[in-house]
Amino acid sequence: MQRSHKRVLVTGGAGFLGSHLCEALLARGHEVLCVDNFFTGSRLNVTHLLSDPRFEVMRHDITFPLFVEVDEIYNLACPASPVHYQHDPVQTTKTSIHGAINMLGLAKRLKAPILQASTSEVYGDPEVHPQTEDYWGRVNPIGPRSCYDEGKRCAETLFFDYNRQHGVNIKVARIFNTYGPRMHPNDGRVVSNFVVQALRGEPITVYGSGKQTRSFCYVSDLIEGLIRLMESPADVTGPINLGNPREFTIRELAELAIRYTGSASEIVLRPLPQDDPRQRRPDIARARELLGWEPTVELEAGLKRTIAYFRNAMADADAGEPSRGLRAAT
């Protein structure tokens, strides 16, 4: 009989998404082993969890094998923003591919279910809108974003091959733009960029015309989707889109950031980076049907919470106090 309280491994557990996932799993009564090499994650993201005896942190790079005993594995380890994954593109590819092989090998040995945090970037600059899970994507295999895009695509291949060849119980989530507290302020992601620039009174840098679109999912909604996918029946392998289907232009997001911060910042346009997608919006019909999941936090509410977090973090930094949001990764 399956235990209700499990020992759960979260790779990348000290990152933005990983720390929120660790928190949610602990709240459900599980033991959590947080594994991170602290390249983009930070110990400060999980400091508040260290007093819980069911929580453990291990410094480890998943491009090397890991030998632990757990009941479930969430594989979130990988730099997820262009600034970070382009810093060392070879290591990014290794993390996606070697890391997947190592974690899948662990899942195979333990006969444990394993969830892969894949990405909407597997769709590239899509010709289909909104994006459904059966769309194969339009990805440049040799561009500056390819280390992440193709690394995640190859990781998905490995997951499904381990499922077909070895019977590993897999779950693949394709994560769309997610935001909220504990985002790294200098990761180049559009929400953190706009909020930090607005709070500092700096110009809001919009790349391209600002007419390109994105869909923004608040972190608590995304974490609920990941847990529901992990807890779904074994025949629900995915891939499953997890994201908010409400679509905004980048300029609209910039204007909201200015409005909700009360900033006097102006919007300035910069050239669009190579291979930057023009449109991105998930079709979440499969998540609704198989997981009973859909987002509940609207962008306006989530953005206000995120602004409050960064405002407090910046005040702490100005006062010389430790801040999860505005310190470099350890």
Side-chain angles (χ1 to χ4, degrees):
M1 187 171 71
Q2 194 174 38
R3 290 187 291 131
S4 58
H5 291 173
K6 303 166 186 171
R7 181 166 168 78
V8 183
L9 167 62
V10 180
T11 73
F16 163 49
L17 292 182
S19 63
H20 283 279
L21 178 59
C22 289
E23 202 170 58
L25 292 168
L26 288 169
R28 284 165 165 78
H30 301 307
E31 295 179 37
V32 176
L33 173 58
C34 165
V35 168
D36 207 297
N37 69 351
F38 302 109
F39 172 59
T40 58
S42 172
R43 292 183 186 276
L44 292 169
N45 284 336
V46 294
T47 298
H48 64 298
L49 303 177
L50 293 175
S51 61
D52 192 322
R54 294 170 296 119
F55 182 69
E56 181 183 354
V57 178
M58 177 188 296
R59 185 172 196 137
H60 181 80
D61 186 328
I62 66 163
T63 60
F64 299 95
L66 179 64
F67 301 99
V68 294
E69 303 297 319
V70 294
D71 302 304
E72 291 179 347
I73 303 167
Y74 288 83
N75 186 36
L76 275 62
C78 188
S81 73
V83 168
H84 290 146
Y85 66 64
Q86 292 175 8
H87 173 73
D88 189 344
V90 172
Q91 184 63 25
T92 296
T93 304
K94 286 181 178 179
T95 301
S96 288
I97 298 174
H98 291 205
I101 291 170
N102 288 330
M103 291 305 104
L104 284 162
L106 179 62
K108 177 187 172 186
R109 178 177 72 82
L110 298 174
K111 296 182 171 55
I114 179 170
L115 183 147
Q116 167 69 2
S118 190
T119 173
S120 61
E121 297 297 333
V122 301
Y123 299 122
D125 189 5
E127 302 153 303
V128 172
H129 193 74
Q131 291 78 58
T132 59
E133 291 90 348
D134 55 3
Y135 174 56
W136 290 356
R138 178 171 174 262
V139 177
N140 177 0
I142 59 170
R145 300 169 66 102
S146 304
C147 59
Y148 185 69
D149 301 0
E150 294 288 44
K152 289 289 192 178
R153 285 163 68 93
C154 187
E156 286 196 13
T157 300
L158 286 162
F159 266 68
F160 280 91
D161 283 339
Y162 266 76
N163 172 257
R164 287 184 287 256
Q165 188 171 339
H166 301 298
V168 174
N169 181 357
I170 65 163
K171 311 286 182 180
V172 175
R174 288 180 178 164
I175 299 172
F176 283 68
N177 290 62
T178 304
Y179 70 100
R182 297 185 210 139
M183 295 184 80
H184 195 294
N186 302 314
D187 65 4
R189 299 191 206 192
V190 66
V191 173
S192 52
N193 267 8
F194 287 178
V195 169
V196 170
Q197 287 172 338
L199 287 171
R200 289 174 174 163
E202 299 171 352
I204 306 290
T205 51
V206 170
Y207 295 94
S209 66
K211 294 181 180 178
Q212 64 270 37
T213 65
R214 295 292 185 273
S215 303
F216 302 100
C217 185
Y218 191 66
V219 62
S220 60
D221 283 332
L222 190 280
I223 297 304
E224 177 65 24
L226 292 178
I227 292 174
R228 288 197 189 191
L229 178 55
M230 177 62 90
E231 294 177 348
S232 64
D235 61 348
V236 180
T237 60
I240 290 185
N241 289 338
L242 294 179
N244 194 317
R246 188 179 173 195
E247 192 173 11
F248 292 84
T249 68
I250 297 300
R251 188 175 187 95
E252 285 175 326
L253 178 68
E255 290 168 350
L256 286 174
I258 291 170
R259 183 191 313 165
Y260 293 146
T261 57
S263 175
S265 295
E266 296 182 352
I267 295 173
V268 296
L269 303 181
R270 295 286 184 265
L272 193 67
Q274 182 181 338
D275 301 329
D276 195 65
R278 294 161 296 172
Q279 292 179 303
R280 187 62 59 73
R281 176 163 68 92
D283 182 311
I284 63 168
R286 189 176 291 185
R288 286 192 179 109
E289 177 187 354
L290 298 177
L291 308 180
W293 177 88
E294 61 182 330
T296 60
V297 180
E298 294 292 347
L299 177 62
E300 293 82 358
L303 195 56
K304 289 177 182 177
R305 296 176 198 173
T306 306
I307 289 168
Y309 167 79
F310 276 113
R311 196 187 301 274
N312 290 336
M314 291 170 72
D316 288 345
D318 290 342
E321 297 178 11
S323 167
R324 286 196 295 272
L326 298 177
R327 279 186 55 177
T330 54

